[in-house]
């Protein structure tokens, strides 16, 4: 009686342990999938960021070129020689300011993109970790379940 | 038709006009002008009076021929006096407090002739006077310590590290390239691509790719040695995976997409797939800019896409930075012993300015704000930095004058410009524009600001002009000729003086000194300057003295003059009726006689006019060899009287045009010889004068010159019964005279040949047809 009872109880526990392990693995796969999705999203954002940096750099270069052209035109209208020492220095200074602004803007966007790439890498790593943790968790659950079962001692 | 007409003139605002107007009856200048108006000044009322005298201030030593008054700080007023090879600073007592014959560098002051002295330009800023002269003299700076000491020094540009804060501009021929042998160090060699250098280059600076090099030795026309004062940008070889010759050309300026490095392509090797660039950005491989962003590489790297006008490529490798390449990107120091120095200076907006450069004729430079030796105009990074601009039109800039409403006016040989400046468009690097005021140029005679006008001389040096503020939005300034009807009064004008404040009278006059020593003085009506016919009354002033310079400061008008070989400085004084007027018994300390000498020791053995009791003319007296007045023992003569004034007289002459008959029904008007039936003068404050008939008859080989006094009637200072030992009664009355003779051009004048006051408010003529 005791043996049959023990046998019936042990059969229920094994199923439970299996289901629990499966649930742990499924949960970790879900977390990993979410992390991978987040990583993919960040990688996409980083790509857009890099593209934006290139576009911003190009646009600001064109804008700077136009600014310098305007300076030349305005100075020409004022009969000021663009090749005068101050004319050249003023142009150089404006170019330098424009380049600085462009550099700051582009660098800022690139820094954001770099951050997004780093975040994506983190999420990918987190996904891997989640899967691994799920597998470990499932194995641990099984081991714990087995250890906790009260089987009859053969005699 | 009447047989006679009567003409009366009450307005003399046009002064002495050209005789060519004598038949132009309807012309305003003919109506308001006189045929002669010598030694008179026009009043605001339109009348005129005897001109002011000139009070002797102090005698001139060392042959000074130009004296001007300046204020160096509030309440501290001095005179600056130029003589051949000398400049003096003189205080209000006539004491010389600064006396310099040498420049700061020890060389002699170079001006010698009167023309040299007239061309000196100086400006007072802070406690320093900056003096420019010609193109060979380094500007000199005379500085006052604020107490008592004056010193002279060369104008020397500021050095920051090794960087000389002086302007650079490409003066040398454009096509010539140079190549320094190293980026740093002394004794480097610079090789030019074409003959360029002379021994005179030694000591000058050049900038190679915006970095300064001091030339220390001359080898030949293509080789010099130098010291690098600011380390030079080097060169780089960039290697590509493809032949770069299809993307780049020699001379292209290329830029790195990541580093921002800039370079000019100096060589292309299609086989090796390389280009060599002279870097334009820096002298090292990295430099810090973009504060906060850390070091950024500014030489090319393999991360760069190297972009040029013809395309871009990414280098597969970049070499280390090497020695500089041969490029044409370099410029010359604008002012130094080799290139010469500016001949003109000014100050405005807390900057000292220079112009009239020999090496850059159209150049105008402004130092940094409140830093008169920071003249590095090749740095526009801050609004208070120095500025160097080139006036357009290939002109030689003579003068820059601060004018109305903060604007600056540029007087050139073939143009006149103005530079708009305002609080919303302040004077700063990049703000300078040149608006044409006149296509006619100006003479090298210093313009003067007078109220809201700037007086200047036309390029022909024979007309007085003015820059007028019109108040119009689109054309705020204009130029006007102020001497259209007075051409005979001007010749080779040397200087202009215009007081900037009222003195003892409200009228404002401008003074012009001609090349022949004559003086023209004009009263102008500021309101009329805006109109198409400015009312300017010019008239000649003359006297015994020979005037070499006239200047004005506030209400003071100073004359640097010579009497009988003795130089002295005089000041216009409306209370005096003599030139060189000296209160004999209360002379200024500067005229204190040497031991044993008399009060007129500086003009011994000459003659002098004496007046006492302000308006009593005593006559002409002789001066003995020791400078004492020889008494004549006339009635009332007291040579010890405190009010006794000795000086030199002049003669006032006022001659109106004879009124012409109007055209109309024929009575032979304007065709027959005519006679002045009556000639009347309405006068105020009269101390006597002459009516005179002037010769105007048919001229022969033996006839008198036109205008010769033929007969006169004297209106005496003292009438019968008056006490001639007392000042004459200053009469307000009318006198009438009937000159004799017939002439197609009858002439009569009022002459005042004795010192004393006279004001004429109307001259009338009754004249036959």
């Amino acid at each position: 009686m005791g043996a049959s009872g023990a046998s019936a109880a042990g059969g229920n526990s094994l199923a439970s342990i299996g289901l629990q392990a499966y649930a742990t693995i499924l949960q970790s796969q879900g977390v990993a999938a979410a992390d991978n999705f987040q990583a993919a999203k960040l990688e996409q954002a980083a790509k857009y960021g890099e593209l934006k940096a290139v576009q911003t750099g190009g646009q600001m270069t064109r804008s700077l070129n136009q600014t310098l052209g305007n300076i030349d035109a305005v100075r020409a209208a004022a009969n000021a020689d663009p090749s005068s020492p101050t004319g050249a220095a003023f142009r150089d200074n404006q170019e330098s300011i424009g380049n600085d602004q462009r550099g700051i803007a582009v660098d800022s966007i690139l820094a954001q993109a770099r951050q997004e790439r780093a975040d994506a890498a983190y999420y990918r790593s987190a996904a891997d970790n989640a899967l691994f943790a799920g597998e470990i968790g499932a194995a641990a659950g099984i081991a714990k379940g087995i250890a906790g079962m009260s089987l009859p001692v053969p005699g | 038709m009447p047989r006679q007409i009567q003409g009366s003139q009450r307005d003399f605002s046009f002064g002495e006009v050209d005789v060519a107007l004598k038949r132009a009856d309807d012309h305003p200048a003919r109506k308001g002008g006189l045929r002669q108006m010598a030694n008179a000044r026009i009043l605001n009322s339109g009348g005129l009076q005897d001109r002011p005298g000139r009070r002797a201030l102090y005698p001139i030593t060392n042959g000074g021929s130009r004296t001007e008054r300046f204020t160096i700080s509030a309440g501290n007023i001095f005179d600056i006096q130029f003589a051949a090879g000398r400049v003096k600073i003189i205080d209000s007592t006539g004491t010389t407090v600064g006396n310099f014959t040498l420049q700061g560098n020890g060389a002699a002051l170079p001006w010698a002739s009167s023309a040299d002295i007239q061309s000196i330009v100086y400006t007072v800023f802070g406690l320093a006077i900056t003096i420019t002269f010609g193109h060979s003299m380094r500007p000199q700076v005379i500085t006052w310590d604020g107490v008592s000491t004056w010193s002279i020094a060369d104008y020397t540009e500021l050095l920051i590290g090794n960087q000389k804060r002086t302007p650079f501009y490409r003066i040398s021929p454009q096509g010539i390239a140079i190549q320094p042998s190293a980026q740093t160090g002394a004794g480097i060699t610079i090789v030019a691509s074409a003959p360029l250098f002379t021994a005179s280059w030694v000591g000058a600076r050049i900038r190679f790719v915006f970095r300064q090099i001091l030339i220390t030795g001359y080898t030949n026309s293509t080789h010099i040695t130098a010291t690098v004062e600011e380390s030079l940008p080097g060169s780089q070889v960039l290697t590509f995976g493809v032949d770069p010759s299809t993307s780049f050309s020699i001379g292209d300026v290329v830029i790195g997409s990541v580093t921002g490095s800039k370079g000019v392509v100096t060589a292309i090797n299609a086989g090796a797939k390389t280009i060599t660039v002279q870097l334009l950005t820096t002298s090292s491989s990295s430099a810090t800019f973009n504060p906060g962003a850390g070091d950024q590489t500014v030489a090319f790297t393999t991360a760069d896409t190297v972009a040029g006008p013809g395309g871009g490529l990414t280098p597969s490798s970049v070499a280390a930075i090497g020695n500089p390449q041969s490029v044409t990107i370099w410029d010359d120091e604008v002012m130094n012993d080799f290139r010469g120095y500016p001949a003109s200076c000014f100050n405005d907006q807390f900057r000292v300015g220079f112009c009239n450069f020999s090496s850059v004729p159209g150049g105008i430079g402004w130092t940094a704000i409140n830093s008169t030796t920071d003249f590095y105009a090749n740095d526009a990074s801050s609004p208070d930095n120095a500025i160097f601009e080139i006036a357009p039109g290939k002109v030689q800039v003579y003068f820059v004058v601060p004018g109305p409403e903060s604007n600056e006016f540029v007087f050139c040989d073939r143009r006149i410009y103005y530079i708009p400046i305002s609080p919303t468009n302040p004077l700063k690097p990049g703000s300078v524009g040149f608006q044409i005021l006149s296509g006619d140029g100006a003479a090298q005679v210093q313009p003067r600001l007078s109220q809201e006008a700037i007086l200047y001389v036309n390029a022909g040096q024979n007309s007085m002009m003015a820059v007028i503020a019109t108040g119009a939005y689109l054309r705020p300034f204009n130029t006007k000729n102020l001497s259209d009807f007075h051409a005979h009064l001007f010749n080779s004008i040397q200087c202009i003086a215009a007081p900037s404040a009222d003195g003892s009278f409200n009228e404002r006059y401008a003074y012009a000194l001609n090349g022949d020593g004559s003086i023209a003085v004009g009263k102008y009506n500021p309101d009329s300057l805006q109109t198409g016919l400015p009312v300017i009354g010019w008239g000649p002033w003359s006297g015994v003295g020979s005037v070499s310079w006239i200047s004005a400061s506030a209400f003071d008008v100073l004359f640097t003059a010579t009497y009988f070989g003795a130089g002295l400085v005089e000041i216009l004084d409306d209370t005096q009726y003599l030139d060189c007027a000296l209160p004999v018994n209360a002379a200024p300390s500067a005229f204190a006689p040497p031991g044993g000498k008399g009060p007129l020791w500086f003009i011994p053995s000459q003659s002098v006019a004496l007046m006492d009791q302000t308006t009593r003319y005593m006559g002409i007296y002789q001066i003995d060899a020791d400078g004492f007045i020889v008494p004549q023992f006339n009635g009332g003569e007291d040579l010890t009287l405190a009010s006794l004034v000795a000086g030199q007289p002049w003669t006032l002459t006022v001659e109106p045009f004879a009124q012409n008959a109007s055209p109309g029904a024929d009575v032979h008007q304007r065709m027959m010889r005519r006679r002045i039936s009556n000639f009347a003068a309405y006068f105020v404050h009269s101390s006597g004068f002459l009516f005179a008939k002037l010769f105007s008859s048919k001229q022969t080989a033996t006839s008198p010159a036109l205008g010769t006094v033929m007969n006169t009637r004297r209106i005496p200072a003292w009438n019968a019964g008056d006490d001639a030992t007392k000042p004459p009664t200053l009469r307000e009355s009318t006198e009438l005279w009937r000159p004799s003779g017939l002439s197609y051009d009858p002439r009569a004048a009022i002459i005042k040949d004795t010192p004393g006051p006279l004001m004429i408010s109307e001259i009338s003529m009754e004249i036959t047809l």
Side-chain angles (χ1 to χ4, degrees):
Chain A
M1 180 71 186
S4 65
S7 175
N12 287 338
S13 295
L14 279 172
S16 159
I17 290 165
L19 285 172
Q20 195 172 1
Y22 182 57
T24 302
I25 287 171
L26 278 180
Q27 186 184 11
S28 69
Q29 283 176 340
V31 170
D35 285 351
N36 280 330
F37 174 75
Q38 191 66 21
K41 205 165 83 171
L42 286 167
E43 280 174 350
Q44 193 67 24
K47 280 182 186 169
Y48 284 138
E50 285 160 357
L51 178 62
K52 184 182 176 186
V54 171
Q55 288 173 333
T56 301
Q59 188 274 331
M60 290 185 78
T61 301
R62 280 195 298 278
S63 177
L64 173 59
N65 201 35
Q66 194 169 27
T67 300
L68 296 176
N70 277 337
I71 289 169
D72 287 349
V74 169
R75 284 180 60 83
N79 284 315
D81 187 345
S83 72
S84 74
T86 293
F90 183 67
R91 203 178 191 284
D92 286 350
N93 191 50
Q94 290 299 312
E95 187 176 347
S96 174
I97 290 170
N99 282 330
D100 285 357
Q101 287 173 340
R102 186 195 58 174
I104 290 167
V106 169
D107 287 353
S108 175
I109 296 168
L110 286 176
Q112 178 67 31
R114 278 193 295 273
Q115 182 63 47
E116 284 163 345
R117 280 207 186 283
D119 289 349
Y122 169 78
Y123 275 112
R124 289 221 182 276
S125 171
D128 289 346
N129 289 341
L131 282 175
F132 182 63
E135 287 166 3
I136 295 294
I142 290 169
K144 185 181 171 188
I146 290 172
M149 285 170 58
S150 54
L151 294 175
V153 179
Chain B
M1 193 77 180
R3 294 185 55 233
Q4 293 189 136
I5 57 172
Q6 199 274 340
S8 59
Q9 184 169 355
R10 300 172 297 279
D11 178 13
F12 311 106
S13 298
F14 277 89
E16 180 175 308
V17 298
D18 294 334
V19 71
L21 283 163
K22 74 177 181 179
R23 305 296 289 178
D25 307 356
D26 298 329
H27 197 290
R30 161 69 174 75
K31 290 177 178 172
L34 294 161
R35 188 163 182 162
Q36 288 189 74
M37 192 197 72
N39 292 308
R41 73 176 180 94
I42 300 166
L43 305 174
N44 284 335
S45 63
L48 55 80
Q49 74 174 49
D50 202 9
R51 74 165 168 89
R54 305 199 292 252
R55 178 164 44 87
L57 284 180
Y58 52 85
I60 289 172
T61 55
N62 305 116
S65 61
R66 173 180 169 184
T67 311
E68 296 190 18
R69 183 154 288 181
F70 64 95
T71 301
I72 198 157
S73 65
N76 290 299
I77 300 170
F78 295 90
D79 291 352
I80 186 168
Q81 189 174 84
F82 298 96
R86 185 183 300 270
V87 57
K88 284 182 178 180
I89 308 296
I90 299 167
D91 71 10
S92 58
T93 67
T95 305
T96 298
V97 293
N99 190 353
F100 306 102
T101 57
L102 301 177
Q103 302 176 41
N105 55 43
L109 290 170
W111 47 79
S113 67
S114 57
D116 287 351
I117 291 169
Q118 286 165 359
S119 71
I120 295 168
V121 183
Y122 71 91
T123 187
V124 181
F125 182 72
L127 296 182
I129 308 165
T130 303
I131 300 173
T132 53
F133 166 71
H135 294 127
S136 300
M137 187 190 82
R138 177 182 281 274
Q140 298 295 302
V141 181
I142 295 178
T143 308
W144 186 45
D145 68 353
V147 183
S148 59
T149 304
W150 295 80
S151 56
I152 191 168
D154 286 350
Y155 175 83
T156 306
E157 298 94 321
L158 184 68
L159 274 179
I160 296 181
N162 290 333
Q163 185 185 73
K164 188 176 179 184
R165 305 288 289 177
T166 193
F168 288 82
Y169 185 65
R170 181 61 178 264
I171 300 166
S172 300
Q174 291 288 337
I176 298 178
I178 62 169
Q179 183 175 22
S181 62
Q183 287 180 265
T184 59
I188 69 162
T189 303
I190 295 176
V191 180
S193 63
L196 173 67
F197 304 118
T198 66
S200 302
W201 283 66
V202 175
R205 287 186 182 221
I206 57 175
R207 286 196 319 168
F208 176 80
V209 190
F210 318 118
R211 309 286 287 182
Q212 295 186 15
I213 300 171
L214 174 65
I215 298 168
T216 55
Y218 167 75
T219 308
N220 58 41
S221 63
T222 54
H223 291 75
I224 51 173
T225 52
T227 298
V228 177
E229 300 290 349
E230 298 178 288
S231 53
L232 307 177
S235 61
Q236 241 185 333
V237 177
L238 312 181
T239 305
F240 300 94
V242 297
D243 177 5
S245 62
T246 55
S247 299
F248 304 117
S249 303
I250 289 175
D252 282 357
V253 172
V254 293
I255 187 166
S257 62
V258 175
T259 62
S261 299
K262 221 186 221 186
V264 60
V265 179
T266 58
I268 298 175
N269 187 331
K273 299 175 184 171
T274 63
I275 64 170
T276 306
V277 294
Q278 167 61 49
L279 293 170
L280 302 180
T281 39
T282 183
S283 59
S284 61
S285 61
S286 69
T288 301
F289 65 95
N290 285 351
D295 278 6
Q296 298 200 4
T297 306
V298 289
F300 291 97
T301 70
T302 52
D304 278 319
T305 295
V306 179
L313 292 173
T314 301
S316 55
S317 66
V318 294
I321 294 173
N323 283 333
Q325 296 285 299
S326 178
V327 291
T328 57
I329 304 171
W330 62 279
D331 48 18
D332 305 85
E333 193 178 18
V334 169
M335 57 185 227
N336 52 34
D337 288 345
F338 171 47
R339 296 293 181 187
Y341 293 97
S344 183
C345 60
F346 60 97
N347 85 79
D348 187 33
Q349 322 255 331
F350 299 94
R351 302 173 189 262
V352 169
F354 294 99
C355 59
N356 198 354
F357 293 87
S358 61
S359 56
V360 189
I364 305 170
W366 294 259
T367 65
I369 289 176
N370 271 333
S371 181
T372 59
T373 56
D374 183 355
F375 199 15
Y376 192 49
N378 298 77
D379 173 8
S381 60
S382 176
D384 62 348
N385 278 6
I387 306 166
F388 194 99
E389 293 286 3
I390 316 289
K394 302 186 189 333
V395 294
Q396 177 84 45
V397 176
Y398 288 149
F399 306 102
V400 175
V401 179
E405 294 149 31
S406 299
N407 299 292
E408 291 183 353
F409 295 80
V410 182
F411 294 87
C412 313
D413 57 347
R414 287 179 289 106
R415 292 275 194 289
I416 295 169
Y417 300 100
Y418 78 94
I419 299 171
I421 301 171
S422 68
T424 55
N425 179 41
L427 181 64
K428 63 180 181 180
S431 77
V432 174
F434 294 90
Q435 306 295 326
I436 294 178
L437 258 180
S438 170
D440 293 349
Q444 209 163 352
V445 176
Q446 293 175 50
R448 302 294 185 194
L449 182 66
S450 178
Q451 294 179 306
E452 62 267 41
I454 297 176
L455 307 180
Y456 71 99
V457 178
N458 71 336
Q461 221 168 327
N462 57 6
S463 285
M464 286 294 297
M465 308 285 293
V467 174
I468 309 294
T470 64
Y473 180 75
L474 291 176
R475 188 160 177 74
F477 300 100
N478 208 343
T479 60
K480 287 269 170 71
N481 190 323
L482 304 185
S483 56
D484 274 339
F485 309 115
H486 310 83
H488 70 286
L489 294 177
F490 298 95
N491 63 81
S492 186
I493 300 168
Q494 301 300 302
C495 76
I496 305 167
S500 58
D502 294 331
S504 56
F505 45 80
N506 289 328
E507 290 82 3
R508 289 291 180 84
Y509 301 93
Y511 304 80
L513 177 65
N514 289 315
D516 64 1
S518 61
I519 299 168
V521 179
K523 178 193 175 300
Y524 63 90
N525 176 351
D527 293 337
S528 79
L529 295 182
Q530 309 286 353
T531 67
L533 184 67
V535 179
I536 313 290
W538 291 101
W541 283 13
S542 58
V544 174
S546 168
V547 176
S548 58
W549 194 259
I550 309 173
S551 65
S553 171
F555 48 77
D556 292 336
V557 181
L558 299 187
F559 293 75
T560 308
T562 305
Y563 291 86
F564 312 113
L568 53 88
V569 176
E570 308 169 290
I571 188 168
L572 199 73
D573 185 343
D574 201 31
T575 65
Q576 302 295 330
Y577 303 99
L578 298 168
D579 287 342
C580 188
L582 186 75
V584 176
N585 300 311
S589 58
F591 283 98
K597 298 292 185 183
L600 300 174
W601 53 274
F602 56 98
I603 46 172
S605 305
Q606 302 296 335
S607 60
V608 70
L610 292 184
M611 295 183 76
D612 65 12
Q613 302 170 76
T614 308
T615 55
R616 191 180 84 103
Y617 175 53
M618 299 167 61
I620 302 293
Y621 282 66
Q622 294 301 307
I623 306 166
D624 70 15
D626 288 324
F628 291 101
I629 299 168
V630 178
Q632 295 180 2
F633 306 107
N634 295 327
E637 178 186 293
D638 180 359
L639 299 184
T640 64
L641 211 57
S643 65
L644 183 68
V645 174
Q648 303 298 328
W650 63 83
T651 300
L652 171 143
T653 305
V654 177
E655 180 193 353
F657 287 104
Q659 183 74 19
N660 293 318
S662 302
D666 181 19
V667 286
H668 297 296
Q669 71 270 39
R670 303 178 80 97
M671 301 179 71
M672 307 297 284
R673 291 194 300 163
R674 311 163 69 202
R675 189 170 77 87
I676 298 172
S677 308
N678 280 300
F679 185 52
Y682 294 74
F683 50 84
V684 183
H685 294 305
S686 170
S687 57
F689 60 91
L690 279 178
F691 282 122
K693 172 79 173 75
L694 307 182
F695 179 74
S696 60
S697 297
K698 190 174 287 184
Q699 295 163 269
T700 68
T702 56
S703 66
L706 285 176
T708 301
V709 175
M710 303 305 291
N711 53 60
T712 63
R713 180 200 162 196
R714 181 171 294 277
I715 310 299
W718 291 274
N719 289 341
D722 287 348
D723 181 358
T725 67
K726 301 287 185 228
T729 302
L730 301 182
R731 293 189 168 79
E732 179 175 342
S733 184
T734 304
E735 292 287 350
L736 192 69
W737 182 50
R738 297 173 65 87
S740 59
L742 287 167
S743 168
Y744 287 106
D745 182 24
R747 298 178 61 181
I750 294 168
I751 296 174
K752 179 155 182 57
D753 58 353
T754 56
L758 173 66
M759 182 188 298
I760 298 171
S761 52
E762 180 177 331
I763 300 172
S764 294
M765 277 188 194
E766 191 178 60
I767 188 167
T768 64
L769 296 180

